[in-house]
Amino acid sequence: MKTKIKRIAALSALLVFAMSMTVLAETRQMARGGTAYLNCNYSNGMRNMSAGTIRGNTVDMASLIVTTTYQDGSEYVYDSGISRNDQFTSSDYEWSEDYSSIHSLYESANKLYDRVPLSAN
């Protein structure tokens, strides 16, 4: 009987932990060695994210656009613009419903050669 109670208590604790912190991550390889990622953590009904567009060895420019959809349906759009640097952004825990991102790599400001959309809903 004590063993059964211990097992139930252990499983309950594991379930509570699993419900309080869930991590979704999506990473994709891009052209010329670039990488796109969108990570999302869930805790007690709130979420946060980190996203990035990492240029490959021969990549000249990168951009990152992240759309945050909140539980009331409103949206916030972060747009890094096009830059010769890798692009990153993150958020604190917030009452969001979904994150989506668009990662782009360019030879020049006018010459896009790879675009990757990601979603963490």
Side-chain angles (χ1 to χ4, degrees):
M1 186 67 159
K2 283 184 179 182
T3 304
K4 188 174 182 179
I5 292 172
K6 286 181 183 179
R7 285 184 188 167
I8 291 172
L11 287 174
S12 296
L14 181 61
L15 182 60
V16 167
F17 176 76
M19 290 176 61
S20 68
M21 181 64 109
T22 304
V23 177
L24 291 177
E26 189 171 5
T27 302
R28 291 220 192 126
Q29 289 303 119
M30 298 180 76
R32 300 182 186 171
T35 303
Y37 71 87
L38 177 61
N39 300 324
C40 183
N41 298 305
Y42 299 85
S43 181
N44 298 322
M46 298 180 80
R47 304 167 191 224
N48 77 344
M49 68 81 194
S50 63
T53 304
I54 302 171
R55 300 170 303 137
N57 291 333
T58 61
V59 175
D60 292 326
M61 301 177 143
S63 74
L64 173 62
I65 299 171
V66 178
T67 302
T68 303
T69 304
Y70 294 98
Q71 291 178 349
D72 66 1
S74 64
E75 290 185 342
Y76 170 75
V77 177
Y78 167 84
D79 187 343
S80 72
I82 300 170
S83 172
R84 292 196 181 275
N85 299 312
D86 297 337
Q87 298 298 315
F88 306 98
T89 190
S90 62
S91 71
D92 291 328
Y93 277 93
E94 56 191 354
W95 296 104
S96 61
E97 187 69 28
D98 185 26
Y99 297 102
S100 61
S101 57
I102 299 173
H103 308 259
S104 302
L105 299 175
Y106 300 82
E107 275 186 29
S108 67
N110 298 323
K111 190 170 181 186
L112 170 74
Y113 65 83
D114 197 6
R115 177 167 281 167
V116 173
L118 301 176
S119 181
N121 52 2

